[in-house]
Amino acid sequence: MTPPSSGRWLRAALLVLVAALLAAPAARAAVDDDEIPSRPELYAKALRKDPVYVSPSAVRAVPPADLRRLRRAVAAMPYRTYVLVVPRFWGEPGMVGSDGLIVQTQDRLGRRGLFVTVDPDGSTLTAKAIEVRVKGQDGRAQFAARNAVGRDASVATTAIAALDYLRTGRGDPAYHAERSSYSSTDARDVVPWVMMGVGALLAFAVPLAVWWRRERHRRGPRPAKHRRPRRDPLSAPSRGEARREALEAIAALAKELDRTDAPPTEALRAYDAASHVAAGRRPEVVDWVGAQALAQRGLATLHGRPATPCFFDPRHGAGNHPTRWRRGGEEVRIPTCRACAKALRDDEPPAVLADDGRPYWERDTVWATTGFGAIEDRVADVVLAGPGGRR
């Protein structure tokens, strides 16, 4: 999009948007739901151009020198090899862990080969050979890589070590049963001391238990403590509140764009996407929240602030506190706000945006796919590629 040369276009666009929202919106041609690209579709499209794809949210984890090393390692493989450095999210609709992400990406790519996904923090590496024969075991690639380079190695170094193991079969770590640290003679010497310790413990514990029981009986039953009820972690604004906040955010972004001589393309795309969602047919509450998040993303880009929102609810603000979160038996790293990070540390449920009574990521929407920008930076492009915010 070419930045506007003056503020007239933006003011006119804002007036048209407000008029469209206040009046009945014009009917739009129906768009097939399949036109909203999923993450596997986006990744497959990128892999057709380059066998190594690094998500925009992970570019800091793979600097240019490491990216060149990784591409050379992929080019040296004896069969087609694809590497994805992307954030993962367990529980995404239609997806089952990293294997599911690989299978769906390969299905859309339509090519056989070796597929490797790596988390931006290097915590998890998954490999899957599809219709190609590798000398190593793809299910043990992560263990082999860590055995070769250690847990603190960079993302590219870990991925290259895994590729080397899968290509050669060398470096598979051996697992042996831990041997006893003392002999049977030592055990016989220890047994009397253990028995003496157990006897001393019983001699002390039994009188203490008797005294404690009598003391409680003398004092009588204690009054029950008032426990603070656990709050419902699911919440959502009313439709009117969500609509009002989204329109205010879009208007604020339009005003800032009007003041800027050459606004960045990312901010203009965020404005277009937010307006696209707001002008859609019957936006739901979660769609209004998405429009607000897009507008706030544009404002953050204009002012040079972090644009990644809190994963649990974009209304919380910037996700400046990357936090590990266990879901579905797998640990993932997600951007969260300070409050949600603290809740997880305290083993409390964070405040989660609800969509139809369920966490929003359990629904089949573009917001579940992108996390409102928390797990996919190009959320504006994904929104503009489909019919608004909902599948």
Side-chain angles (χ1 to χ4, degrees), residues 149-278:
V149 299
R151 291 179 174 270
D152 297 329
S154 67
V155 171
T157 300
T158 302
I160 291 171
L163 294 178
D164 183 67
Y165 159 70
L166 292 167
R167 178 173 54 85
T168 65
R170 296 191 298 268
D172 194 357
Y175 298 94
H176 301 286
E178 188 175 300
R179 299 184 61 183
S180 175
S181 60
Y182 54 89
S183 65
S184 58
T185 302
D186 296 330
R188 286 194 297 268
D189 294 339
V190 169
V191 168
W193 293 100
V194 173
M195 296 300 297
M196 290 174 62
V198 171
L201 181 61
L202 291 175
F204 174 77
V206 171
L208 179 62
V210 172
W211 172 84
W212 178 253
R213 185 175 180 180
R214 289 177 178 175
E215 187 68 14
R216 289 197 62 182
H217 180 72
R218 183 180 65 83
R219 294 184 180 182
R222 292 184 299 174
K225 292 183 178 179
H226 175 68
R227 294 186 178 181
R228 184 176 59 183
R230 291 172 65 93
R231 59 178 173 81
D232 185 358
L234 291 175
S235 65
S238 65
R239 186 184 184 88
E241 179 186 0
R243 180 178 181 274
R244 182 181 67 254
E245 292 180 352
L247 293 180
E248 289 176 353
I250 294 172
L253 175 58
K255 186 176 181 180
E256 290 297 318
L257 288 172
D258 189 24
R259 293 176 177 175
T260 306
D261 293 333
T265 303
E266 292 80 2
L268 291 170
R269 292 285 286 176
Y271 175 79
D272 287 344
S275 302
H276 177 68
V277 174

Side-chain angles (χ1 to χ4, degrees), residues 230 342-349:
R230 291 172 65 93
K342 183 179 184 302
L344 292 176
R345 286 196 305 270
D346 296 341
D347 198 24
E348 291 288 336

